């Protein structure tokens, strides 16, 4: 098979400008495809790594509806619970650039009990508990903004107003935490705030409320039973709850933004159709220009099937090179700090498998019609210039002509009665 590599490469370099433009189009399309699929994989499986030992209790109507803090003692009384903490989304923006990253107001002691995956020195945990305006930040955020312990970070909350009417809150960094492993380390792009100053500083009507309760169960196999018991405690009350696993809560939170999977797949489909049409036209034109050359190959002893495989291999090589370049660009792009700080996305094995499947499908859909044309090519007709239209051209022509024919038929039907009256 290696002896045909020269023929394949010579076919690709015959029209250097066209090949270059097609390659750039493929690279750009697969860059977009890689980024979109990486985002889709993140949202569809972002919670797979989360432990099954945690439950999230929220208001039955929506997780944006706060719950009174008095409910925490009732939740703690349920059998099978190891620890309970509370969390309130803060929604602050940092600096003039309006940098955003997740912030949550929590009880420092309870956070350590329910989220043992966060690793931080004991003295920093103690400082977080003792400092009313204290905050701890993940390693990724600290490195992005160059923060260190002792820095004061102003956050302008678009949700919470202070009792004096201001939305500007100041927090003192007292600790920087890491994840227990690589998967958790990727998600150290958030910030925890001491609930003490937060609850004391906000408007009086909002004090004593929590966003959600985080429940750590002693036995993950009993998680569903514990969840049902918690919801039963507040059934038919003014504060009915919905308790679900942390995985399910993360998926529900992502769906508030819309059906990410459907959006990604629709855009990917449009991208695939675009590169299918573009590459198909380029390959079909390349084969038509080389009809006499293909006839000469048959004169030299190449079999019909060999000529077909040469054309198909040329299309496959172009798709592979363009797709590889695009995926490498996508892999490098997601490592940029500005992207990692916003969303911990990565181009993993699943995304590469999707790209590989697209390459194979693209090769067959685009390369097979001109390859079949080359296989059926008759030497006499080819050298005489009687080649006819390829299968791709016929399909393209029908796709263009059919709507026009239908429109003419509809217009003809609407005109005939008027003509008959005349």
């Amino acid at each position: 098979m290696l002896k045909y590599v020269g023929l394949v490469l010579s076919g690709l370099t015959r029209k250097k400008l066209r090949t270059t433009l097609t390659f750039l189009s493929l690279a750009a399309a697969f860059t977009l495809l890689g980024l979109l699929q990486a985002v889709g994989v993140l949202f569809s499986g972002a919670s797979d790594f989360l432990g099954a030992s945690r439950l999230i209790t929220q208001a039955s109507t929506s997780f944006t509806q706060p719950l009174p803090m008095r409910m925490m003692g009732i939740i703690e009384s349920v059998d099978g619970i190891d620890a309970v903490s509370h969390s309130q989304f803060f929604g602050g923006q940092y600096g003039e650039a309006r940098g955003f990253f997740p912030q949550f107001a929590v009880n420092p002691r309870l956070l350590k009990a329910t989220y043992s995956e966060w690793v931080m020195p004991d003295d920093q945990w103690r400082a977080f508990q003792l400092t009313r305006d204290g905050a701890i930040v993940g390693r990724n955020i600290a490195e992005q903004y160059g923060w260190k312990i002792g820095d004061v970070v102003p956050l302008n909350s678009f949700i919470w107003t202070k009792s004096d009417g201001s939305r500007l809150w100041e927090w003192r960094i007292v600790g920087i935490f890491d994840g227990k492993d690589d998967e958790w380390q990727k998600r150290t792009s958030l910030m925890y705030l001491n609930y003490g100053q937060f609850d004391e500083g906000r408007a009086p009507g909002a004090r004593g409320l929590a966003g959600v309760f985080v429940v750590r169960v002693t036995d993950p196999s009993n998680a569903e039973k514990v969840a049902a018991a918690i919801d039963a405690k507040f059934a038919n009350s003014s504060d009915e709850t919905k308790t679900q696993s942390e995985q399910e809560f993360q998926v529900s939170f992502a769906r508030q933004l819309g059906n990410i999977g459907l959006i990604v797949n629709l855009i990917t489909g449009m991208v695939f159709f675009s590169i299918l049409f573009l590459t198909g036209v380029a390959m079909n034109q390349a084969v038509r220009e080389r009809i006499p050359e293909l006839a000469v190959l048959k004169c030299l002893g190449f079999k019909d099937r060999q000529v077909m495989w040469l054309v198909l291999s040329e299309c496959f090589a172009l798709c592979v090179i363009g797709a590889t370049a695009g995926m490498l660009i996508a892999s490098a792009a997601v490592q940029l700090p500005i992207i990692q700080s916003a969303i911990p996305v990565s181009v993993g094995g699943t995304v590469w498998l999707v790209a590989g499947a697209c390459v194979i499908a693209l090769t067959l859909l685009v390369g097979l019609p001109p390859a079949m044309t080359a296989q059926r090519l008759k030497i006499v007709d080819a050298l005489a210039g009687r080649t006819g239209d390829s299968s791709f051209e016929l399909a393209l022509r029908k796709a263009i002509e059919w709507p026009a024919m239908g429109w003419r038929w509809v217009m003809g039907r609407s005109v005939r009665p008027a003509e008959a009256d005349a």
Side-chain angles (χ1 to χ4, degrees):
M1 191 66 185
L2 293 177
K3 61 183 178 180
Y4 299 121
V5 173
L7 285 174
V8 173
L9 294 178
S10 65
L12 288 175
T13 57
R14 186 174 183 273
K15 293 286 186 178
K16 293 183 177 62
L17 179 59
R18 181 173 59 206
T19 301
T20 301
L21 293 176
T22 306
F23 164 77
L24 292 176
S25 300
L26 285 168
F30 273 92
T31 299
L32 181 59
L33 185 145
L35 293 174
L36 288 172
Q37 287 299 315
V39 172
V41 169
L42 176 68
F43 276 95
S44 63
S47 59
D48 292 345
F49 78 99
L50 296 173
S53 60
R54 268 191 300 272
L55 301 172
I56 305 295
T57 299
Q58 65 173 60
S60 60
T61 53
S62 171
F63 67 86
T64 59
Q65 179 69 31
L67 296 171
M69 287 291 295
R70 58 178 172 76
M71 297 174 61
M72 191 165 71
I74 301 175
I75 295 174
E76 289 175 332
S77 66
V78 176
D79 293 335
I81 291 179
D82 184 40
V84 181
S85 66
H86 57 86
S87 176
Q88 178 66 68
F89 183 68
F90 183 74
Q93 294 175 319
Y94 171 70
E96 296 180 357
R98 298 297 182 183
F100 176 77
F101 47 89
Q103 312 107 23
F104 301 93
V106 297
N107 181 301
R109 179 181 59 83
L110 299 178
L111 173 69
K112 184 179 180 180
T114 51
Y115 278 94
S116 57
E117 292 84 357
W118 300 135
V119 179
M120 192 170 64
D122 290 339
D123 60 331
Q124 295 181 20
W125 280 113
R126 285 193 295 270
F128 188 29
Q129 296 179 33
L130 298 175
T131 308
R132 295 285 290 179
D133 62 344
I136 58 175
V137 296
R139 182 71 60 181
N140 291 344
I141 288 293
E143 292 178 353
Q144 178 186 352
Y145 292 106
W147 291 338
K148 59 184 183 298
I149 294 177
D151 289 348
V152 176
V153 177
L155 294 177
N156 191 3
S157 177
F158 54 81
I159 298 177
W160 303 105
T161 304
K162 298 173 69 174
S163 56
D164 60 2
S166 170
R167 289 183 176 269
L168 184 64
W169 302 67
E170 292 186 344
W171 302 95
R172 188 179 308 277
I173 298 178
V174 297
I176 299 175
F177 62 88
D178 294 286
K180 68 173 185 177
D181 53 30
D182 292 339
E183 192 63 46
W184 279 91
Q185 189 67 29
K186 294 177 182 177
R187 286 160 172 79
T188 56
S189 297
L190 68 163
M191 185 178 193
Y192 289 108
L193 316 172
N194 193 315
Y195 184 83
Q197 174 175 266
F198 168 71
D199 195 48
E200 184 180 300
R202 59 181 170 171
R207 293 173 186 170
L209 298 175
V212 298
F213 294 103
V214 182
V215 180
R216 193 178 188 97
V217 298
T218 54
D219 185 1
S221 62
N222 293 329
E224 292 186 5
K225 185 184 298 184
V226 173
I230 293 174
D231 292 340
K233 290 281 187 179
F234 306 101
N236 300 320
S237 70
S238 59
D239 298 307
E240 290 189 344
T241 61
K242 176 183 178 182
T243 303
Q244 55 192 335
S245 68
E246 192 174 24
Q247 293 95 327
E248 293 173 339
F249 177 79
Q250 293 286 355
V251 172
S252 300
F253 183 82
R255 285 176 179 169
Q256 297 296 316
L257 304 175
N259 193 332
I260 302 298
L262 177 61
I263 295 173
V264 168
N265 289 332
L266 287 176
I267 299 177
T268 301
M270 290 186 287
V271 171
F272 185 79
F273 176 79
S274 299
I275 59 177
L276 172 66
F277 186 82
L278 174 67
T279 311
V281 171
M283 283 302 303
N284 183 74
Q285 186 177 358
V287 171
R288 282 188 60 82
E289 291 176 353
R290 289 159 43 207
I291 288 294
E293 299 175 11
L294 297 176
V296 171
L297 289 178
K298 291 189 176 185
C299 289
L300 294 175
F302 280 77
K303 297 180 180 179
D304 292 343
R305 190 173 295 274
Q306 288 177 307
V307 174
M308 180 194 73
W309 280 109
L310 281 175
V311 175
L312 201 60
S313 299
E314 182 179 326
C315 180
F316 178 73
L318 182 61
C319 292
V320 166
I321 296 173
T324 303
M327 292 299 293
L328 290 176
I329 294 173
S331 300
V334 298
Q335 299 302 321
L336 295 175
I338 189 173
I339 294 181
Q340 285 295 317
S341 63
I343 180 171
V345 66
S346 63
V347 180
T350 303
V351 181
W352 280 91
L353 286 175
V354 172
C358 289
V359 168
I360 295 174
L362 188 63
T363 301
L364 294 177
L365 292 173
V366 169
L368 203 55
M372 295 296 293
T373 300
Q375 181 188 23
R376 294 193 298 264
L377 186 66
K378 296 184 180 300
I379 298 175
V380 175
D381 293 336
L383 295 178
R386 298 188 299 269
T387 57
D389 290 333
S390 67
S391 302
F392 183 84
E393 283 182 320
L394 290 173
L396 181 61
R397 181 177 299 171
K398 289 180 179 180
I400 296 174
E401 289 181 352
W402 283 345
M405 292 173 60
W407 178 251
R408 286 198 298 268
W409 181 82
V410 171
M411 292 300 294
R413 296 279 293 182
S414 62
V415 168
R416 283 196 192 98
E419 292 176 344
D421 293 340

